[in-house]
Amino acid sequence: MKNNQVLVIMGSDSDWTVMQKVLATLSEFAVDYEVHVASAHRTTDRALALARKAHHDGFDVIIAGAGAAAHLPGVLAAVTPLPVIGIPINATALQGLDALYAMVQMPSGIPVATVAIDGAKNAALLAVQILSVKDNALRQKLIEYKDQLAEEVAIKDEKIQDLVGEMQKNKNA
């Protein structure tokens, strides 16, 4: 059995363009994953079976992306003891708001951690943070990742300061 496994389920293959960002981010942190397409409405039994056996199969977290009615994360959360992270996907004329509302309005007792519409990278990062609670090496990778983000912002700030300084020089010239 592998450590730090994430089960990734998307409601449709049309969700792939968003969901592949989950896989890229998990790979960046060397977190193992397995990916499936299972619909809460069209393949209910398959979706439920994946969620029910996920903890027995060694998974630690489930990430589920879905658009439109977006019941998939909630259906999975109803039958698993694992944390479920939902990604509302912009797949309808409502631009993902329908999916977002379906995920964040879960009934008491069936939580789904929900990220932004099309927020696949943050879903993966949240999964990594959950896994890092029991994995010090993974926690260190997260610390280094966040340090890198801070460095990138500092570089951007320097560039802006240079631009502002140049504007002020030109204004006073």
Side-chain angles (χ1 to χ4, degrees):
M1 190 181 305
K2 297 176 181 177
N3 289 327
N4 297 333
Q5 289 193 95
V6 177
L7 177 60
V8 179
I9 303 175
M10 61 191 90
S12 170
D13 63 344
S14 64
D15 301 331
W16 174 247
T17 56
V18 171
M19 296 302 288
Q20 65 185 342
K21 295 172 189 156
V22 169
L23 310 183
T25 304
L26 293 175
S27 293
E28 182 180 338
F29 285 90
V31 171
D32 292 323
Y33 56 82
E34 187 174 304
V35 184
H36 295 278
V37 174
S39 169
H41 303 104
R42 293 178 297 259
T43 60
T44 308
D45 291 340
R46 176 172 164 69
L48 291 172
L50 286 166
R52 281 190 178 115
K53 68 183 188 103
H55 70 284
H56 295 295
D57 289 346
F59 292 103
D60 298 301
V61 180
I62 297 173
I63 297 176
H71 295 117
L72 181 62
V75 166
L76 302 176
V79 298
T80 185
L82 299 177
V84 175
I85 302 168
I87 304 169
I89 294 178
N90 178 358
T92 69
L94 297 175
Q95 299 177 324
L97 285 176
D98 48 346
L100 176 67
Y101 291 152
M103 290 180 201
V104 298
Q105 294 295 348
M106 291 300 298
S108 181
I110 311 295
V112 171
T114 305
V115 296
I117 296 167
D118 292 344
K121 184 171 185 169
N122 272 355
L125 288 169
L126 180 55
V128 171
Q129 287 179 314
I130 291 168
L131 297 170
S132 77
V133 168
K134 64 177 185 173
D135 184 331
N136 290 333
L138 193 54
R139 186 176 310 129
Q140 186 57 43
K141 286 181 185 178
L142 268 170
I143 291 167
E144 292 166 7
Y145 173 81
K146 290 190 176 200
D147 287 346
Q148 179 184 346
L149 290 178
E151 287 175 30
E152 291 170 6
V153 171
I155 291 167
K156 291 175 183 179
D157 182 56
E158 272 184 44
K159 288 180 183 177
I160 292 298
Q161 296 308 314
D162 290 345
L163 289 172
V164 169
E166 197 61 37
M167 285 176 62
Q168 288 174 339
K169 272 191 217 175
N170 291 338
K171 179 180 150 187
N172 294 332

